[in-house]
Amino acid sequence: MLKNLNPLLTPELLYVLRAMGHGDELVLADCNFPSDSIAAQTTYGSLIRLDGNTISEAADAILSVFPLDSFVEFPVLFMQVVGKPDEVLEVHNDFKKSVDSSSDRDWPISSIERHAFYERAKKAYAVVSTSERRPYGCFILVKGVIGPDGNVI
């Protein structure tokens, strides 16, 4: 164990989060996402599992150390509901709460069509799968920059 780190941050996950650079993308996926096949096509090349945890629990852990990107319009994206692109589900609201509780600012969040999400996920740095059972609990986080003072720029 390490001090002041969420215990869900496994050695593998910490390695990936640290290895990622500004602008790299991380996918957090629910249990129905094709995580293994998508992860095989990412930069990291294999799936990181956080079995037994919800998407919010995973987000809380990851966002405790992961800076979001202030240089892009939307540093957080979620998968749209098929046929209802403007619908925001409870899982999306819960994720937004995790984002808000980990930051000193209000981060803009947007959605992306399901198939476009899959294509973008293939170009991500890595995929983290959870046991989230609520549909459309899939998100992309864009990594930002930490300044000399230790704060997100």
Side-chain angles (χ1 to χ4, degrees):
M1 289 298 295
L2 297 172
K3 291 172 50 175
N4 302 319
L5 280 180
N6 187 305
L8 294 184
L9 297 174
T10 65
E12 180 183 26
L13 180 54
L14 282 170
Y15 167 80
V16 165
L17 296 176
R18 178 61 182 94
M20 291 175 68
H22 175 238
D24 282 338
E25 296 183 350
L26 182 72
V27 176
L28 275 71
D30 64 26
C31 66
N32 292 301
F33 187 73
S35 295
D36 280 314
S37 61
I38 297 287
Q41 299 174 67
T42 65
T43 301
Y44 186 61
S46 63
L47 180 62
I48 300 167
R49 303 191 70 86
L50 288 181
D51 294 330
N53 297 285
T54 66
I55 201 76
S56 295
E57 291 167 332
D60 288 342
I62 290 166
L63 291 167
S64 72
V65 297
F66 189 91
L68 291 173
D69 193 344
S70 62
F71 297 106
V72 297
E73 186 175 9
F74 298 108
V76 179
L77 298 161
F78 62 86
M79 183 186 291
Q80 288 177 359
V81 176
V82 173
K84 299 177 183 178
D86 296 325
E87 186 166 354
V88 177
L89 302 174
E90 178 185 41
V91 69
H92 303 144
N93 287 324
D94 288 348
F95 197 89
K96 173 72 167 133
K97 288 176 189 172
S98 293
V99 170
D100 290 346
S101 71
S102 70
S103 182
D104 61 350
R105 63 187 88 177
D106 185 28
W107 291 100
I109 293 178
S110 189
S111 65
I112 184 170
E113 187 273 331
R114 179 176 152 238
H115 292 288
F117 188 101
Y118 293 148
E119 290 308 310
R120 188 160 173 172
K122 292 173 187 176
K123 298 173 187 162
Y125 193 91
V127 175
V128 177
S129 70
T130 69
S131 293
E132 179 62 61
R133 295 187 57 154
R134 294 177 290 180
Y136 300 99
C138 299
F139 300 84
I140 295 172
L141 301 175
V142 184
K143 189 172 183 186
V145 176
I146 302 275
D149 62 359
N151 293 318
V152 176
I153 294 178

mmCIF file of all heavy atoms in Angstrom, residues 38-55:
data_model
loop_
_atom_site.group_PDB
_atom_site.id
_atom_site.type_symbol
_atom_site.label_atom_id
_atom_site.label_comp_id
_atom_site.label_asym_id
_atom_site.label_seq_id
_atom_site.Cartn_x
_atom_site.Cartn_y
_atom_site.Cartn_z
ATOM 1 N N ILE A 38 -11.285 -4.083 -28.027
ATOM 2 C CA ILE A 38 -10.900 -2.682 -28.223
ATOM 3 C C ILE A 38 -9.526 -2.434 -27.602
ATOM 4 O O ILE A 38 -8.658 -1.808 -28.212
ATOM 5 C CB ILE A 38 -11.948 -1.723 -27.626
ATOM 6 C CG1 ILE A 38 -13.297 -1.865 -28.322
ATOM 7 C CG2 ILE A 38 -11.445 -0.274 -27.648
ATOM 8 C CD1 ILE A 38 -13.399 -1.311 -29.711
ATOM 9 N N ALA A 39 -9.318 -2.923 -26.391
ATOM 10 C CA ALA A 39 -8.040 -2.703 -25.691
ATOM 11 C C ALA A 39 -6.859 -3.251 -26.485
ATOM 12 O O ALA A 39 -5.765 -2.679 -26.455
ATOM 13 C CB ALA A 39 -8.082 -3.322 -24.306
ATOM 14 N N ALA A 40 -7.068 -4.337 -27.198
ATOM 15 C CA ALA A 40 -5.984 -4.933 -27.988
ATOM 16 C C ALA A 40 -5.480 -3.987 -29.072
ATOM 17 O O ALA A 40 -4.348 -4.122 -29.534
ATOM 18 C CB ALA A 40 -6.460 -6.241 -28.617
ATOM 19 N N GLN A 41 -6.301 -3.015 -29.453
ATOM 20 C CA GLN A 41 -5.935 -2.084 -30.518
ATOM 21 C C GLN A 41 -5.390 -0.749 -29.990
ATOM 22 O O GLN A 41 -5.018 0.114 -30.780
ATOM 23 C CB GLN A 41 -7.164 -1.839 -31.403
ATOM 24 C CG GLN A 41 -7.655 -3.128 -32.057
ATOM 25 C CD GLN A 41 -8.947 -2.923 -32.805
ATOM 26 O OE1 GLN A 41 -8.961 -2.220 -33.802
ATOM 27 N NE2 GLN A 41 -10.022 -3.529 -32.325
ATOM 28 N N THR A 42 -5.358 -0.584 -28.683
ATOM 29 C CA THR A 42 -4.891 0.673 -28.087
ATOM 30 C C THR A 42 -3.369 0.711 -28.002
ATOM 31 O O THR A 42 -2.690 -0.291 -28.259
ATOM 32 C CB THR A 42 -5.465 0.851 -26.667
ATOM 33 O OG1 THR A 42 -4.947 -0.184 -25.819
ATOM 34 C CG2 THR A 42 -6.986 0.827 -26.668
ATOM 35 N N THR A 43 -2.852 1.855 -27.602
ATOM 36 C CA THR A 43 -1.410 2.007 -27.412
ATOM 37 C C THR A 43 -0.879 1.001 -26.397
ATOM 38 O O THR A 43 0.125 0.336 -26.644
ATOM 39 C CB THR A 43 -1.083 3.444 -26.940
ATOM 40 O OG1 THR A 43 -1.558 4.359 -27.920
ATOM 41 C CG2 THR A 43 0.411 3.627 -26.729
ATOM 42 N N TYR A 44 -1.559 0.859 -25.265
ATOM 43 C CA TYR A 44 -1.106 -0.072 -24.229
ATOM 44 C C TYR A 44 -1.252 -1.520 -24.682
ATOM 45 O O TYR A 44 -0.421 -2.354 -24.356
ATOM 46 C CB TYR A 44 -1.871 0.180 -22.928
ATOM 47 C CG TYR A 44 -1.364 -0.626 -21.770
ATOM 48 C CD1 TYR A 44 -0.053 -0.492 -21.313
ATOM 49 C CD2 TYR A 44 -2.189 -1.535 -21.123
ATOM 50 C CE1 TYR A 44 0.412 -1.243 -20.249
ATOM 51 C CE2 TYR A 44 -1.734 -2.282 -20.056
ATOM 52 C CZ TYR A 44 -0.435 -2.136 -19.622
ATOM 53 O OH TYR A 44 0.029 -2.880 -18.560
ATOM 54 N N GLY A 45 -2.297 -1.820 -25.416
ATOM 55 C CA GLY A 45 -2.437 -3.116 -26.050
ATOM 56 C C GLY A 45 -3.080 -4.219 -25.248
ATOM 57 O O GLY A 45 -3.303 -5.303 -25.776
ATOM 58 N N SER A 46 -3.391 -3.972 -23.985
ATOM 59 C CA SER A 46 -4.104 -4.987 -23.206
ATOM 60 C C SER A 46 -5.045 -4.303 -22.223
ATOM 61 O O SER A 46 -4.862 -3.147 -21.868
ATOM 62 C CB SER A 46 -3.139 -5.930 -22.485
ATOM 63 O OG SER A 46 -2.363 -5.235 -21.556
ATOM 64 N N LEU A 47 -6.032 -5.056 -21.792
ATOM 65 C CA LEU A 47 -7.083 -4.535 -20.939
ATOM 66 C C LEU A 47 -6.622 -4.418 -19.493
ATOM 67 O O LEU A 47 -5.942 -5.304 -18.972
ATOM 68 C CB LEU A 47 -8.302 -5.457 -21.022
ATOM 69 C CG LEU A 47 -9.515 -5.077 -20.191
ATOM 70 C CD1 LEU A 47 -10.067 -3.730 -20.614
ATOM 71 C CD2 LEU A 47 -10.571 -6.169 -20.321
ATOM 72 N N ILE A 48 -7.028 -3.342 -18.842
ATOM 73 C CA ILE A 48 -6.823 -3.169 -17.400
ATOM 74 C C ILE A 48 -8.179 -3.400 -16.746
ATOM 75 O O ILE A 48 -9.161 -2.742 -17.076
ATOM 76 C CB ILE A 48 -6.304 -1.761 -17.075
ATOM 77 C CG1 ILE A 48 -4.978 -1.519 -17.782
ATOM 78 C CG2 ILE A 48 -6.179 -1.575 -15.567
ATOM 79 C CD1 ILE A 48 -4.541 -0.085 -17.775
ATOM 80 N N ARG A 49 -8.234 -4.348 -15.820
ATOM 81 C CA ARG A 49 -9.498 -4.736 -15.201
ATOM 82 C C ARG A 49 -9.615 -4.156 -13.798
ATOM 83 O O ARG A 49 -8.684 -4.244 -13.007
ATOM 84 C CB ARG A 49 -9.605 -6.245 -15.147
ATOM 85 C CG ARG A 49 -9.476 -6.926 -16.520
ATOM 86 C CD ARG A 49 -9.851 -8.383 -16.473
ATOM 87 N NE ARG A 49 -11.278 -8.531 -16.260
ATOM 88 C CZ ARG A 49 -12.178 -8.530 -17.247
ATOM 89 N NH1 ARG A 49 -11.802 -8.395 -18.497
ATOM 90 N NH2 ARG A 49 -13.454 -8.674 -16.976
ATOM 91 N N LEU A 50 -10.789 -3.585 -13.530
ATOM 92 C CA LEU A 50 -11.154 -3.170 -12.171
ATOM 93 C C LEU A 50 -12.469 -3.852 -11.816
ATOM 94 O O LEU A 50 -13.473 -3.215 -11.518
ATOM 95 C CB LEU A 50 -11.281 -1.643 -12.072
ATOM 96 C CG LEU A 50 -9.995 -0.842 -12.134
ATOM 97 C CD1 LEU A 50 -10.274 0.650 -11.987
ATOM 98 C CD2 LEU A 50 -9.002 -1.299 -11.085
ATOM 99 N N ASP A 51 -12.453 -5.171 -11.895
ATOM 100 C CA ASP A 51 -13.644 -5.966 -11.634
ATOM 101 C C ASP A 51 -14.169 -5.714 -10.220
ATOM 102 O O ASP A 51 -13.405 -5.490 -9.285
ATOM 103 C CB ASP A 51 -13.336 -7.457 -11.789
ATOM 104 C CG ASP A 51 -12.997 -7.826 -13.218
ATOM 105 O OD1 ASP A 51 -13.503 -7.167 -14.139
ATOM 106 O OD2 ASP A 51 -12.218 -8.774 -13.409
ATOM 107 N N GLY A 52 -15.493 -5.770 -10.105
ATOM 108 C CA GLY A 52 -16.131 -5.603 -8.808
ATOM 109 C C GLY A 52 -16.379 -4.153 -8.439
ATOM 110 O O GLY A 52 -16.838 -3.871 -7.334
ATOM 111 N N ASN A 53 -16.080 -3.227 -9.357
ATOM 112 C CA ASN A 53 -16.252 -1.802 -9.070
ATOM 113 C C ASN A 53 -17.180 -1.163 -10.091
ATOM 114 O O ASN A 53 -17.207 -1.551 -11.250
ATOM 115 C CB ASN A 53 -14.892 -1.103 -9.105
ATOM 116 C CG ASN A 53 -13.979 -1.630 -8.025
ATOM 117 O OD1 ASN A 53 -14.151 -1.315 -6.867
ATOM 118 N ND2 ASN A 53 -13.034 -2.474 -8.405
ATOM 119 N N THR A 54 -17.898 -0.143 -9.639
ATOM 120 C CA THR A 54 -18.760 0.610 -10.539
ATOM 121 C C THR A 54 -17.913 1.619 -11.310
ATOM 122 O O THR A 54 -16.751 1.867 -10.979
ATOM 123 C CB THR A 54 -19.837 1.377 -9.764
ATOM 124 O OG1 THR A 54 -19.203 2.388 -8.970
ATOM 125 C CG2 THR A 54 -20.678 0.445 -8.895
ATOM 126 N N ILE A 55 -18.515 2.215 -12.304
ATOM 127 C CA ILE A 55 -17.824 3.239 -13.078
ATOM 128 C C ILE A 55 -17.497 4.435 -12.194
ATOM 129 O O ILE A 55 -16.431 5.044 -12.321
ATOM 130 C CB ILE A 55 -18.638 3.623 -14.336
ATOM 131 C CG1 ILE A 55 -17.739 4.264 -15.383
ATOM 132 C CG2 ILE A 55 -19.805 4.512 -14.013
ATOM 133 C CD1 ILE A 55 -16.874 3.315 -16.130
#
